[in-house]
Amino acid sequence: MFIQAISETRLTADYGSSSWDDSDPSVFKLNIVSTLRGEYQITNGFGPDKAPQVLQDHWDSYITDEDFKFLSSNGINAVRIPVGWWIANDPTPPKPFVGGSSKVLDNAFDWAEKYGVKVIVDLHAAPGSQNGNEHSATRDGFQEWGDSNVADTVAVIDFLAARYANRPSLAAIELINEPLAPGVALDTLKSYYKAGYDAVRKYTSTAYVIMSNRLGPADHKELLSFASGLSRVVIDVHYYNLFSNNFNGLNVQQNIDYVNNQRASDLGAVTTSNGPLTFVGEWTCEWNVKDASKQDYQRFANAQLDVYGRATFGWAYWAHKCEANHWSLKWMIENGYIKLV
């Protein structure tokens, strides 16, 4: 009787009287250890009345025709676009998500075709969250994706392939982004990848199917033999000199050496003459070096461009546009840190 779900959108905690002592079971001690800032939190936080307008304003202004024109004129020939699983239920996705995302993706295809840019559709958020991070639309930081979610996730891929297979700008569909080991078991992932591959092939024999390596404690070559038996398949690897204690304290040259040596070796290990193509699907010029100069960033960028340019399917920078700093490829190009043409 303490916590009551009054309606779909209202939860109350009405205990009545309380002594407010620590021993009183009506008193909860809450320690917030992190703050999630994903689309689930945005839509859930703003609520059903305000969230649709907040998202629509963002979609209308954040990425436009001008962005595709900019990319094309600066030597970028493809974009990797992350989507959430609820796009398959558009325009009435499950709460708290709001409708409209499929129209935004339609617009992106129109602009891509206008400027000769290819599109990689990336399922970035799978039902249940494949890694527990906010960018996979986790509700509460838990990783829940597994065997019970495979059929629903394949249905999303089926929706995307059916909708976009005949668009001339479609280059590839990425079946899932950054599944995290050991929470995502390799056997489950392979089973899903085969079903997702078959779903894409129902509609197109030419679009590539991208399979992301697992993050965490996993062998980066674990998908090679599996993927080698399939046609027009790509292995996606993500390389950041961040998010690990290994990079704490490294200076400029040590970061560059890591790219030239370790990253080159890792990429070479998954790049084979008769296997799947390789794709460095995410990288950035941000790092843990303090007070680095513009020349330092340029050297770091050029080292990565050289090494990741050896990937047989290419690379994608995270991201085109975000805060006005080194995370933004647009900012890097406009300010002379990276030159691609």
Side-chain angles (χ1 to χ4, degrees), residues 176-255:
I176 200 169
N177 175 71
E178 294 185 345
L180 178 63
V184 172
L186 181 58
D187 287 346
T188 299
L189 188 63
K190 286 181 177 179
S191 176
Y192 165 63
Y193 277 165
K194 181 58 169 67
Y197 172 87
D198 290 341
V200 174
R201 289 288 171 257
K202 282 167 49 180
Y203 304 97
T204 171
S205 60
T206 57
Y208 285 90
V209 178
I210 301 178
M211 301 177 179
S212 176
N213 262 358
R214 292 190 299 170
L215 297 185
D219 180 355
H220 55 271
K221 296 189 289 184
E222 65 187 12
L223 294 175
L224 277 183
S225 61
F226 165 77
S228 294
L230 305 173
S231 173
R232 297 178 76 82
V233 167
V234 180
I235 299 296
D236 181 12
V237 295
H238 295 174
Y239 294 149
Y240 292 104
N241 281 29
L242 294 163
F243 313 126
S244 167
N245 292 333
N246 293 339
F247 303 107
N248 294 343
L250 295 190
N251 62 29
V252 171
Q253 189 58 50
Q254 287 170 328
N255 273 278

Side-chain angles (χ1 to χ4, degrees), residues 46-209:
F46 279 112
D49 295 329
K50 191 173 181 180
Q53 191 59 53
V54 169
L55 265 293
Q56 193 61 55
D57 289 346
H58 169 70
W59 290 330
D60 289 344
S61 60
Y62 189 59
I63 299 294
T64 66
D65 177 289
E66 283 299 311
D67 290 292
F68 282 81
K69 181 180 180 181
F70 175 87
L71 289 166
S72 178
S73 64
N74 282 280
I76 298 294
N77 60 11
V79 291
R80 178 176 178 257
I81 303 179
V83 301
W85 61 267
W86 54 94
I87 193 173
N89 302 103
D90 210 47
T92 55
K95 295 177 181 178
F97 301 108
V98 301
S101 56
S102 61
K103 174 58 179 171
V104 181
L105 189 54
D106 291 346
N107 290 341
F109 270 90
D110 291 341
W111 297 327
E113 286 156 17
K114 180 178 177 180
Y115 294 107
V117 174
K118 292 293 187 180
V119 174
I120 298 165
V121 181
D122 152 42
L123 183 58
H124 215 76
S129 176
Q130 70 276 17
N131 51 41
N133 294 320
E134 56 259 74
H135 53 72
S136 63
T138 180
R139 296 174 300 171
D140 47 19
F142 282 90
Q143 174 190 17
E144 300 178 69
W145 190 89
D147 288 321
S148 62
N149 303 105
V150 166
D152 288 342
T153 314
V154 172
V156 179
I157 298 301
D158 190 279
F159 166 84
L160 293 169
R163 189 177 184 94
Y164 299 108
N166 293 324
R167 299 296 296 254
S169 57
L170 178 67
I173 294 177
E174 183 156 7
L175 300 181
I176 200 169
N177 175 71
E178 294 185 345
L180 178 63
V184 172
L186 181 58
D187 287 346
T188 299
L189 188 63
K190 286 181 177 179
S191 176
Y192 165 63
Y193 277 165
K194 181 58 169 67
Y197 172 87
D198 290 341
V200 174
R201 289 288 171 257
K202 282 167 49 180
Y203 304 97
T204 171
S205 60
T206 57
Y208 285 90
V209 178

